[in-house]
């Protein structure tokens, strides 16, 4: 990470705290935020794995149910825009699937920011929210998403690898399992070519991305993080996450193709999607 980006990121967050008040701005990566505040003038490069994340409550803007979650990529603001998710405050408080409420708002913000790469843009997002507060909060039900298609399914996140090899002699793969346990990641791992890690609730997209970053440090690079809905009954039957994972001492469930098919509810099309096979 460029030190100049770190300085600009910190300054931007401090400005937002000053403008909206610290009570309305929650730093989700406090240790990293404190570290970046200590960057010296002589530093040029920083060894940073995670991205700064913070949330802004919009209740002070008369939008009671909206929380904006910001993530600053490592090359922000010099070469990218910030990432923003619009969350339901009520769903967050109830520990529900908050991401499904304001997808349209998140998409509109992403589209709005496309032309602002190279600039600090968190304040621009907050200004946009204020200007569009009467129309931006549209949940899945009102924008026509067929909720009945998702009944009995849970949102999972898929990380695919060129290959994952089983056995103690494969040190990178062993390090991946250890990292997943350390991060308390819920889900399973398919050995082979391709190799697949399935992240299931209560682990989140952020958890999946953090794990992907850890894997890149280990030397195993995933091909991104893909959202996918899997049948809850299949996940439970395959022993992914939950009580089954607790009984394994927090380890990911090690899968073969048969077990992965079970997790997909014996749906061959879904299985091919998880594998990334057309």
């Amino acid at each position: 990470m460029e030190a100049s980006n770190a300085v600009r990121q910190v300054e931007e967050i401090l400005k937002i705290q000053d403008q909206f008040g610290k009570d309305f701005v929650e730093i989700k990566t406090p240790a990293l935020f404190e570290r970046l505040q200590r960057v010296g003038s002589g530093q040029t490069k920083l060894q940073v794995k995670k991205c700064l994340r913070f949330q802004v409550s919009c209740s002070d803007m008369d939008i009671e149910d909206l929380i904006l979650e910001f993530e600053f990529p490592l090359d922000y603001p010099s070469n990218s825009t910030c990432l923003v998710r619009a969350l339901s405050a009520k769903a967050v408080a109830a520990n529900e699937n908050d991401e499904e409420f304001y997808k349209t708002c998140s998409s509109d913000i992403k589209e709005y920011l496309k032309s602002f790469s190279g600039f600090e843009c968190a304040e621009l997002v907050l200004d946009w929210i204020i200007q569009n507060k009467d129309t931006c909060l549209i949940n899945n039900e009102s924008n026509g998403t067929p909720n009945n298609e998702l009944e009995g399914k849970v949102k999972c996140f898929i990380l695919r690898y060129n290959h994952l090899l089983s056995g103690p002699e494969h040190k990178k793969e062993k390090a991946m399992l250890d990292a997943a346990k350390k991060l308390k990641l819920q889900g399973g791992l398919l050995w082979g070519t391709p190799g697949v890690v399935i992240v299931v609730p209560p682990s989140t997209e952020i958890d999946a991305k953090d794990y992907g970053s850890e894997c890149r440090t280990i030397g195993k690079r995933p091909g991104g993080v893909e959202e996918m809905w899997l049948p809850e009954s299949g996940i439970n039957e395959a022993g992914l996450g939950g009580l089954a994972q607790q009984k394994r001492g927090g380890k990911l469930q090690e899968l073969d193709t048969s077990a992965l098919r079970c997790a997909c509810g014996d749906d061959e099309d879904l299985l091919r999607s998880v594998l990334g096979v057309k």
Side-chain angles (χ1 to χ4, degrees), residues 103-113 128 135-136 138:
K103 272 190 171 181
T104 300
C105 184
S106 298
S107 298
D108 288 347
I109 292 171
K110 182 178 180 180
E111 184 67 25
Y112 171 69
L113 290 177
W128 183 90
T135 58
C136 66
I138 303 173

Side-chain angles (χ1 to χ4, degrees), residues 233-241 244 248 253-255 259-260 262-264:
S233 58
I235 286 175
N236 292 335
E237 189 175 347
L240 302 183
R248 294 193 298 274
Q253 174 74 304
E254 298 184 41
L255 303 168
L260 181 58
C262 174
C264 294

Side-chain angles (χ1 to χ4, degrees), residues 163-178:
H163 62 269
L164 294 176
L165 303 177
S166 177
E169 68 274 19
H170 300 292
K171 295 183 179 180
K172 290 182 180 179
E173 282 83 348
K174 181 181 182 303
M176 284 178 61
L177 289 173
D178 293 341

Side-chain angles (χ1 to χ4, degrees), residues 267-278:
D267 184 328
E268 291 296 324
D269 289 336
L270 182 57
L271 175 62
R272 284 193 291 270
S273 294
V274 170
L275 292 172
V277 177
K278 296 183 179 180

